[in-house]
Amino acid sequence: MDNIRGKFKQMIFESENGYKVGLFRVKEADGEMEEFVNKTITFTGYFAELDGEAYYKLMGKYVFNERYGNQFQVSSYEREEPKGKDAVIDFLSSSLVKGCGEKTAIAIVETLGEDALTLIKENYENLMLVPGISEVKAKRIYNSIVKYQSTDQIIVELKKLGFTINEALSILNKWGESSLEIVQNDIYKLIDIIDFTKLDKVFLSMKDAECEERVLACLIETFKRVGFKNGDTYLDKEEIFSTIRNEFKIFLEEDEIDEYLDKLKKSKDIVVKKKKYFLKEYYDYEEDIADNLEMISRHSKTRVSNFDDLIAAVQLEYDVKYNTDQKKAIKNALTNRISIITGGPGTGKTTIINSIVKLYVRIHNLNYKEVINDIALLAPTGRAAKKMSDSTGLPAMTIHRYLKWNKEKNEFQVNEYNKNYHKLIIVDETSMIDTYLFDSLLKGIGHNITLVLVGDANQLPSVGPGLILNDLIASDMFTHTVLEQIYRQSDNSYIPILAKEIKERNLSDEFTKQTDDYNFLSATGLTIKEMIRKICLMSKEKGLTEEEIQVLAPMYRGENGIDNLNVLLQEIFNPKHPDKKETKVGDLIYRVGDKVLQLVNDPDNNIFNGDIGYISSIGSVMGSKNKDIFTIDFDGNEVQYTREDLINIKHAYAITIHKSQGSEFAHVIMPVSKAYYKMLYNKLIYTGVSRAKKSLIIIGEEESFVMAVNNDYSTNRKTNLLEQIVNKFTKDEA
């Protein structure tokens, strides 16, 4: 590792997370870096604020980058006191030191010598030996010098404990001068900005593994970790004990763990009901959901006396014909305060949403402005929202956008204290909504409302804890209409038949036979990838594009995992070309034209987890050749990314079935292999199959497919919402 000392000269680029590229004037250097003394070099790394008047020691390695040339890659740094008479005067007279001009700086050095800074830090009163410096002025100079070093000293100390520079910056930005105290005395308080595993590792380097502070923190983490892994809103005691022992290596007796659970109960961190152990927040979410649903239901139903005439008029105007279930769904939605509409792929759920809107407008005789004010169309994903908008011709948005998610504050700005007051809210893809999001939505809307929940109860449940749609249906407290008749595919399509067989866990022998829109190709784990390659090459020759073809797989890793498949498919659909700019980020190549997937919600840019876009250009930051900017087009919404932002992006030639929810694709290829065994279950397979509009190819082992169809793993979630709803509604009735 090389060491250089000097001054920061100019910033070239900096990101929000503290990554910087700039120029550094070298004053001193060790070893091979001595040739750069009194020269300016380029540096890269993570830093707090850099001051052009301060002195720094940079530790790192001088490397040659094929794209950017020579760079000093900084692994760590520290702010240093200047050395030598001229340097000390220069520092004291800089803007870093309050109350000290050049004349005063010269006087200080003449009186205290080159060690002036050391003497000042030892005792501010040493400054009062300098003619003309009062006690007030001495304290001001002293405080500036101490503050100068404190910030970077904190970073140094945090690095010694095992935090990266980036993590140290995050801690410092939130807690300032209290950072070290927080880390030493209440480290788990940092859980909102630093991963628990990292915090726990640092804690174990300082304190005992079974001390009270850690046991309590690990218990809370157990609730979060197991809850998100299994989708549960509560745990039983055996799960708690086994997780504490196996994952956190805490080998206390059960009665001792019970004592800690009692402490968490008394501090109201957890709730215990009928041997069910809840994080307090998740118990409250489910309780609040039941309360708000009941308050909405209190309002009287809407009477539509001329419904049949209205239906007939809409059918005539838009040349549609509704079946009995569809008419029932529309009427239930318009007359009940809360209604649920479910159906499998192709049963016309989108058509029904459009019809509900049209009839609502007719009933209330609304103009366009009134429609916008009265009706809100919502979905958990951007793709699902866009589908609603395309169908109805009205604005639709994600729930996060509707509730105005504030990334900095980590909260919704629309809430129980600042509500939206629409009169009709239709929510599509309700099965994807977790407990927290549904609770937030109900808190953010008024009670005098018509709420229509649309979805497919047989699809994958939410990523977060909860089983909202299924629990609402099971409660039997809300009007529920099931759409059965298939409309999407042609009459001879096998896709909806297969979806129905999967849903009912009753596969016929037909699933291995080829039809006009379906094929099951037998393959082993060793041949799946090659078969996908051949199919995609043939499809490309027929004129199909990567936009029309979507590979869906359960897992990222492994020979037939998404990561490997994306490398393969990128070379088929978007190969290297001299006219296409590309850049390498880690092991991945990003190229103009690449199909990519957004991994996190970003309401500020109107893009959300699961949105698919295309890299339209790769350029540079104005004034710099050292920083790429990636412009990604999400259905006409162009968003710019830096290299650091690409952590939120993956190639999307192949995506997970989870990420495909809320989307439809013309042609779907879905590998099924025993190598995916941990992720092979009924709702996953059903969801993948139901994404296909025109054709579906399944590649893999027949026995693995049958096993997945018969595995009901995802439905085994422990939630308390059903009980909360039933208790609330029946109590009020009594």
Side-chain angles (χ1 to χ4, degrees):
M1 184 173 296
D2 298 318
N3 298 329
I4 56 176
R5 294 172 176 85
K7 280 187 171 186
F8 156 72
K9 297 297 290 181
Q10 181 184 337
M11 189 67 65
I12 295 174
F13 171 83
E14 61 182 317
S15 67
E16 292 181 358
N17 65 0
Y19 182 82
K20 293 178 171 63
V21 180
L23 302 179
F24 188 82
R25 185 70 173 178
V26 182
K27 297 291 186 181
E28 300 178 52
D30 300 336
E32 296 181 359
M33 293 301 295
E34 287 184 352
E35 64 178 286
F36 297 101
V37 172
N38 295 323
K39 294 181 180 179
T40 299
I41 64 172
T42 301
F43 71 88
T44 65
Y46 290 92
F47 297 83
E49 291 300 320
L50 293 174
D51 196 302
E53 296 180 282
Y55 289 78
Y56 294 92
K57 176 183 179 181
L58 307 185
M59 292 150 278
K61 191 175 181 181
Y62 199 62
V63 300
F64 176 77
N65 184 291
E66 290 186 0
R67 186 174 182 83
Y68 303 122
N70 291 313
Q71 299 175 331
F72 191 83
Q73 293 181 349
V74 180
S75 57
S76 62
Y77 78 101
E78 54 191 58
R79 202 182 293 205
E80 286 196 329
E81 288 183 0
K83 297 176 183 179
K85 180 180 177 180
D86 292 339
V88 173
I89 292 173
D90 184 37
F91 171 73
L92 287 171
S93 59
S94 73
S95 62
L96 296 170
V97 181
K98 306 300 181 185
C100 188
E102 186 176 359
K103 288 183 179 180
T104 303
I106 293 171
I108 291 171
V109 174
E110 286 179 348
T111 303
L112 302 179
E114 292 185 11
D115 294 330
L117 296 176
T118 302
L119 293 170
I120 294 169
K121 285 191 297 181
E122 287 177 354
N123 191 341
Y124 78 90
E125 292 180 352
N126 286 328
L127 275 169
M128 296 168 63
L129 300 173
V130 181
I133 293 184
S134 65
E135 183 173 5
V136 173
K137 190 171 185 176
K139 286 183 177 179
R140 191 183 303 161
I141 295 171
Y142 168 82
N143 289 333
S144 294
I145 293 171
V146 171
K147 186 178 180 180
Y148 167 77
Q149 285 197 314
S150 63
T151 299
D152 290 286
Q153 188 58 38
I154 291 171
I155 292 176
V156 170
E157 293 300 319
L158 290 173
K159 278 183 60 60
K160 287 180 181 177
L161 289 170
F163 293 106
T164 65
I165 288 180
N166 204 12
E167 290 167 341
L169 285 169
S170 298
I171 297 170
L172 188 63
N173 289 337
K174 179 157 186 174
W175 295 101
E177 295 183 1
S178 303
S179 295
L180 284 175
E181 183 182 349
I182 293 291
V183 168
Q184 291 163 354
N185 300 321
D186 198 5
I187 190 170
Y188 296 106
K189 198 172 183 176
L190 303 174
I191 189 63
D192 60 329
I193 55 175
I194 305 293
D195 178 71
F196 181 90
T197 301
K198 182 57 171 288
L199 294 177
D200 199 44
K201 184 179 179 180
V202 174
F203 182 92
L204 290 171
S205 70
M206 301 186 295
K207 299 180 183 179
D208 182 66
E210 295 185 348
C211 69
E212 180 174 320
E213 181 183 358
R214 181 172 185 261
V215 175
L216 292 173
C218 288
L219 282 169
I220 294 294
E221 180 65 12
T222 292
F223 281 92
K224 295 177 180 178
R225 193 172 292 188
V226 178
F228 267 88
K229 179 183 177 182
N230 299 333
D232 301 332
T233 60
Y234 71 86
L235 307 183
D236 56 45
K237 193 178 285 188
E238 183 53 44
E239 285 178 300
I240 298 170
F241 288 157
S242 65
T243 304
I244 281 291
R245 289 167 181 159
N246 298 331
E247 292 196 27
F248 300 111
K249 310 302 178 187
I250 295 174
F251 300 103
L252 298 174
E253 297 297 326
E254 291 189 7
D255 59 339
E256 294 177 283
I257 299 294
D258 280 335
E259 289 179 12
Y260 285 118
L261 288 170
D262 285 338
K263 286 186 178 182
L264 290 175
K265 183 180 176 181
K266 289 175 182 176
S267 64
K268 297 185 177 180
D269 288 295
I270 67 170
V271 174
V272 184
K273 298 281 187 181
K274 300 178 181 178
K275 298 182 179 180
K276 299 175 181 177
Y277 290 76
F278 302 81
L279 268 183
K280 176 67 163 56
E281 60 197 81
Y282 274 96
Y283 182 85
D284 290 346
Y285 294 157
E286 293 185 319
E287 186 176 52
D288 291 344
I289 287 171
D291 284 343
N292 280 305
L293 289 173
E294 192 275 330
M295 283 188 279
I296 293 172
S297 297
R298 284 183 191 178
H299 291 266
S300 58
K301 293 185 177 183
T302 303
R303 297 188 66 181
V304 183
S305 56
N306 58 338
F307 178 77
D308 290 339
D309 293 338
L310 288 167
I311 278 284
V314 169
Q315 288 185 132
L316 183 63
E317 182 176 352
Y318 295 100
D319 192 25
V320 295
K321 187 171 179 62
Y322 304 115
N323 65 36
T324 302
D325 287 339
Q326 289 176 321
K327 290 178 182 178
K328 183 181 176 183
I330 297 168
K331 187 173 184 178
N332 285 336
L334 293 170
T335 57
N336 290 276
R337 288 296 177 174
I338 302 172
S339 63
I340 301 170
I341 302 170
T342 61
T347 54
K349 295 188 296 294
T350 302
T351 300
I352 294 302
I353 291 172
N354 189 24
S355 302
I356 293 168
V357 170
K358 286 181 169 58
L359 263 78
Y360 186 90
V361 171
R362 280 178 174 264
I363 291 168
H364 297 279
N365 194 27
L366 304 179
N367 59 39
Y368 184 79
K369 184 177 179 181
E370 291 170 330
V371 169
I372 301 302
N373 289 333
D374 284 9
I375 302 174
L377 304 178
L378 309 177
T381 69
R383 281 262 168 150
K386 186 176 185 301
K387 187 170 70 173
M388 293 177 80
S389 184
D390 291 342
S391 169
T392 62
L394 296 175
M397 64 185 76
T398 64
I399 298 172
H400 277 79
R401 191 168 181 83
Y402 180 73
L403 298 177
K404 296 181 180 178
W405 177 253
N406 187 312
K407 185 166 55 177
E408 281 69 36
K409 293 183 178 180
N410 198 37
E411 64 184 21
F412 291 111
Q413 292 177 295
V414 175
N415 48 49
E416 60 264 51
Y417 309 109
N418 181 35
K419 294 176 180 283
N420 284 334
Y421 288 97
H422 289 90
K423 295 178 181 179
L424 169 66
I425 293 181
I426 304 176
V427 184
D428 198 9
E429 299 289 353
T430 307
S431 66
M432 297 176 64
I433 301 174
D434 65 20
T435 303
Y436 168 66
L437 188 57
F438 195 57
D439 178 50
S440 300
L441 175 61
L442 294 180
K443 285 176 177 173
I445 60 178
H447 294 138
N448 188 13
I449 193 171
T450 296
L451 178 63
V452 184
L453 304 173
V454 184
D456 185 349
N458 295 292
Q459 282 192 38
L460 288 168
S462 59
V463 175
L467 203 60
I468 297 296
L469 183 59
N470 299 69
D471 284 344
L472 295 180
I473 294 169
S475 74
D476 204 28
M477 296 296 167
F478 312 102
T479 301
H480 176 210
T481 311
V482 182
L483 305 177
E484 297 280 4
Q485 190 170 336
I486 307 294
Y487 290 95
R488 179 190 295 167
Q489 283 92 356
S490 62
D491 292 338
N492 63 343
S493 173
Y494 183 68
I495 297 173
I497 298 172
L498 178 63
K500 187 173 185 294
E501 290 180 356
I502 293 170
K503 179 177 69 176
E504 296 172 351
R505 296 177 181 80
N506 186 29
L507 275 180
S508 69
D509 294 336
E510 301 296 313
F511 85 90
T512 60
K513 297 179 181 179
Q514 184 175 352
T515 68
D516 291 342
D517 65 350
Y518 170 78
N519 199 1
F520 189 107
L521 301 176
S522 292
T524 67
L526 297 174
T527 59
I528 285 176
K529 191 165 76 171
E530 177 60 20
M531 291 186 72
I532 292 174
R533 188 185 72 84
K534 289 180 179 178
I535 291 169
C536 288
L537 282 171
M538 287 189 293
S539 299
K540 186 180 179 181
E541 289 174 3
K542 292 178 181 179
L544 296 178
T545 67
E546 70 280 0
E547 188 173 359
E548 299 171 281
I549 299 172
Q550 187 60 62
V551 177
L552 302 178
M555 298 172 66
Y556 282 104
R557 297 180 180 178
E559 179 65 19
N560 299 311
I562 288 164
D563 291 339
N564 269 342
L565 291 176
N566 269 319
V567 174
L568 171 75
L569 297 171
Q570 182 190 38
E571 291 308 306
I572 293 174
F573 291 111
N574 192 32
K576 187 178 180 67
H577 192 279
D579 294 337
K580 288 187 176 182
K581 192 170 181 180
E582 65 177 50
T583 189
K584 191 172 183 179
V585 181
D587 294 329
L588 299 176
I589 294 173
Y590 289 94
R591 186 176 294 139
V592 171
D594 270 341
K595 181 180 180 180
V596 293
L597 177 78
Q598 176 75 11
L599 299 175
V600 297
N601 291 323
D602 184 3
D604 292 342
N605 285 309
N606 197 28
I607 49 172
F608 297 89
N609 187 355
D611 285 354
I612 292 175
Y614 293 84
I615 299 177
S616 56
S617 68
I618 301 176
S620 301
V621 176
M622 188 170 292
S624 171
K625 297 181 179 179
N626 293 342
K627 204 64 191 174
D628 286 326
I629 288 291
F630 301 78
T631 301
I632 302 178
D633 186 345
F634 295 93
D635 292 321
N637 176 27
E638 291 194 337
V639 182
Q640 291 190 332
Y641 292 73
T642 66
R643 293 172 70 89
E644 288 72 34
D645 295 329
L646 292 183
I647 191 173
N648 298 324
I649 291 291
K650 271 190 172 291
H651 289 99
Y653 303 100
I655 64 174
T656 67
I657 297 172
H658 281 88
K659 294 293 186 185
S660 75
Q661 288 189 94
S663 300
E664 295 176 336
F665 309 98
H667 307 279
V668 169
I669 301 171
M670 190 167 70
V672 179
S673 169
K674 59 186 176 184
Y676 303 141
Y677 72 98
K678 289 184 179 180
M679 295 294 294
L680 290 181
Y681 51 90
N682 182 277
K683 287 196 174 184
L684 186 96
I685 297 297
Y686 174 85
T687 301
V689 167
S690 63
R691 299 307 88 202
K693 291 197 298 182
K694 293 183 178 181
S695 75
L696 169 68
I697 298 176
I698 298 175
I699 305 172
E701 302 126 353
E702 293 179 21
E703 61 269 28
S704 297
F705 185 76
V706 173
M707 180 198 73
V709 170
N710 292 316
N711 182 3
D712 65 351
Y713 159 73
S714 69
T715 62
N716 298 326
R717 289 190 167 189
K718 295 196 290 290
T719 67
N720 202 52
L721 179 59
L722 171 60
E723 184 175 335
Q724 288 275 22
I725 291 172
V726 172
N727 288 344
K728 183 66 183 176
F729 278 70
T730 55
K731 177 183 177 182
D732 288 348
E733 287 175 3

